[in-house]
Amino acid sequence: MQLFYNIKVFGVLVILAISAFGALPTKISLGPISLSAALTAGIAFYFLFAFFISPGSKKVFYFHSPLIFFLIMNVVWFVAGDFDLRSFQRIAIWVGMLFVSINVTSWAVRVDNLDQALSNISSTLSFLSILYFGIVAYQVAFNVTDPATSILLVIFFSFFLSRYQHLYGRPGDRVIILFIFFLALSVNSRIVLLALFSILIIFLLRNGHIKSFLICVLLSFLVFAAVVRFAPAYLGLNGGDNALLVGGYTVNTSGRWYAWQLMIESIRESPFLGHGTDLAPELVGVARWSHPHNDYLRLLHQCGAIGLMAFLIFFIRAHHRIAKRVYRDMSSQRRVFLDSSIYATSGIAIVMITDNPLSYSYVIYFLAVLNALAYAMSMRDD
């Protein structure tokens, strides 16, 4: 049985290594598909095989039941409707996410020396982050816009924030330096900037740094006011299609608001069960809109309120368990991954408002690993 646990650990290391490259594999073609698609399929089949070899406990399977129900809804819609390649690709990614989560949770629940395993994963992730930071720094330096790769900053920031807190005592100035470093790398994505700031706020409030929290809020307000006054173009102010009026300024939403209105109108036609696909290009009438740029609307349109609720219930229930476990007596290594899971999931939930992290396997597989380790710790007795 230990052999299969090692197979699952190997799969985890592969996921971390692939995530360090961000969206680069999507730009490499292997005939009719991209390297990213091949890697995604490979990981999904790998963990599917691992599951059939060593399925784990019924407790872990029951724990994932809302997510399983969500996927069954999507599969039924896909089988019953017309073939849609985009829906097939997303369902394949989500099925892979499910089996990654089940396998890693099962392994982490049973492994004997969990602290040592977490230490090894932590060290590997720290090493791989150097590669990822190099790629993002290159993109920033040469103005190569790639918001998809920038989304991973949310997960890496969550990990290093937790690591500094629990392995090096009170982080103090390290948090500010870390935050500024990640802000500099995230200039290509405003929603990632917001997610990073939100994670910092959650960190400060959870750890009782009220004074630092108030200072951050004040500084953020002053910076925003300065940008609005002297560099409104950075925020996409003054113009744009269907711009929103915020505080007397028009904020360019780059077509998102127009697309969301069309999505909402379509959702009203089948609010509970959805349509089986997001239909973003067809609704908007522009081919480049392959995504609705809002994962919540995507899930509502694809599988209705029932499917969206099943998806949200899984994560809310799981992280409620994790939050309760954080306050128990446990090792620093375990606290690193528990807090990383809370911060990263909160950040990705914010990114989902204007982006599509659920479409990127290198994001959600990475997040699934962090969450699965935290799920396991909420189930263990030690």
Side-chain angles (χ1 to χ4, degrees):
M1 194 65 69
Q2 189 65 34
L3 171 64
F4 299 125
Y5 292 159
N6 291 336
I7 287 177
K8 293 176 181 181
V9 172
F10 176 76
V12 167
L13 298 180
V14 170
I15 288 174
L16 298 181
I18 292 173
S19 294
F21 287 92
L24 285 183
T26 64
K27 307 180 187 306
I28 301 174
S29 297
L30 297 176
I33 64 173
S34 68
L35 175 59
S36 178
L39 292 172
T40 299
I43 292 173
F45 280 115
Y46 184 92
F47 279 96
L48 181 62
F49 170 77
F51 173 78
F52 284 113
I53 295 297
S54 178
S57 67
K58 293 181 179 179
K59 181 179 181 181
V60 172
F61 194 79
Y62 171 75
F63 180 80
H64 288 83
S65 57
L67 194 57
I68 294 171
F69 174 78
F70 162 77
L71 285 170
I72 290 175
M73 279 197 68
N74 281 277
V75 170
V76 169
W77 258 120
F78 177 75
V79 172
D82 297 329
F83 179 80
D84 178 47
L85 181 59
R86 296 192 311 275
S87 295
F88 174 76
Q89 291 172 334
R90 281 191 297 274
I91 293 172
I93 291 173
W94 297 344
V95 169
M97 175 186 68
L98 171 66
F99 283 104
V100 167
S101 185
I102 290 176
N103 278 283
V104 177
T105 303
S106 300
W107 164 76
V109 165
R110 297 184 181 183
V111 69
D112 293 331
N113 194 347
L114 180 61
D115 286 343
Q116 183 60 49
L118 293 177
S119 177
N120 293 338
I121 293 173
S122 179
S123 299
T124 302
L125 187 53
S126 298
F127 175 76
L128 290 172
S129 67
I130 298 173
L131 171 62
Y132 172 72
F133 293 147
I135 292 172
V136 178
Y138 171 84
Q139 293 175 346
V140 172
F142 292 92
N143 197 28
V144 182
T145 302
D146 190 359
T149 297
S150 299
I151 293 174
L152 285 166
L153 287 169
V154 172
I155 303 179
F156 277 107
F157 179 64
S158 301
F159 169 72
F160 281 105
L161 186 63
S162 303
R163 183 178 171 86
Y164 279 139
Q165 178 186 5
H166 296 300
L167 298 187
Y168 301 101
R170 282 186 170 274
D173 294 338
R174 293 191 189 96
V175 169
I176 303 301
I177 296 172
L178 183 71
F179 184 60
I180 293 173
F181 172 72
F182 275 85
L183 283 182
L185 294 179
S186 63
V187 294
N188 285 333
S189 177
R190 292 185 288 273
I191 191 63
V192 171
L193 283 169
L194 177 61
L196 294 179
F197 178 72
S198 300
I199 291 171
L200 179 64
I201 294 301
I202 294 172
F203 168 80
L204 294 174
L205 290 177
R206 287 184 70 228
N207 292 279
H209 301 304
I210 304 301
K211 184 182 295 186
S212 298
F213 163 73
L214 295 175
I215 292 174
C216 281
V217 171
L218 177 60
L219 288 176
S220 299
F221 175 78
L222 293 176
V223 169
F224 179 78
V227 171
V228 169
R229 177 64 179 84
F230 299 106
Y234 178 73
L235 291 177
L237 300 179
N238 300 327
D241 48 357
N242 286 39
L244 302 176
L245 189 65
V246 180
Y249 291 90
T250 51
V251 182
N252 182 357
T253 57
S254 300
R256 281 175 170 82
W257 188 245
Y258 174 67
W260 294 346
Q261 287 178 315
L262 295 177
M263 291 286 289
I264 292 171
E265 290 175 5
S266 182
I267 288 169
R268 288 172 179 167
E269 297 174 6
S270 181
F272 298 107
L273 296 178
H275 296 275
T277 179
D278 62 54
L279 290 176
E282 293 82 357
L283 287 173
V284 181
V286 180
R288 72 178 182 86
W289 279 83
S290 59
H291 303 298
H293 294 276
N294 183 309
D295 268 335
Y296 298 105
L297 288 180
R298 174 208 296 284
L299 296 181
L300 264 176
H301 197 281
Q302 185 154 333
C303 51
I306 295 175
L308 176 62
M309 288 302 299
F311 182 84
L312 295 178
I313 285 172
F314 169 72
F315 284 98
I316 292 172
R317 187 182 67 168
H319 283 81
H320 177 66
R321 291 184 57 139
I322 293 171
K324 291 194 299 184
R325 182 73 178 183
V326 164
Y327 297 103
R328 297 184 185 179
D329 185 25
M330 62 175 60
S331 68
S332 297
Q333 285 290 354
R334 299 191 186 194
R335 287 184 179 275
V336 168
F337 285 90
L338 284 168
D339 277 356
S340 294
S341 173
I342 293 173
Y343 296 144
T345 303
S346 301
I348 293 299
I350 292 172
V351 174
M352 286 171 61
I353 297 173
T354 65
D355 214 317
N356 315 278
L358 296 184
S359 297
Y360 308 133
S361 59
Y362 49 86
V363 173
I364 64 170
Y365 285 0
F366 188 2
L367 182 64
V369 168
L370 287 185
N371 282 342
L373 293 172
Y375 301 157
M377 282 180 267
S378 71
M379 298 178 187
R380 290 175 66 104
D381 296 326
D382 58 343

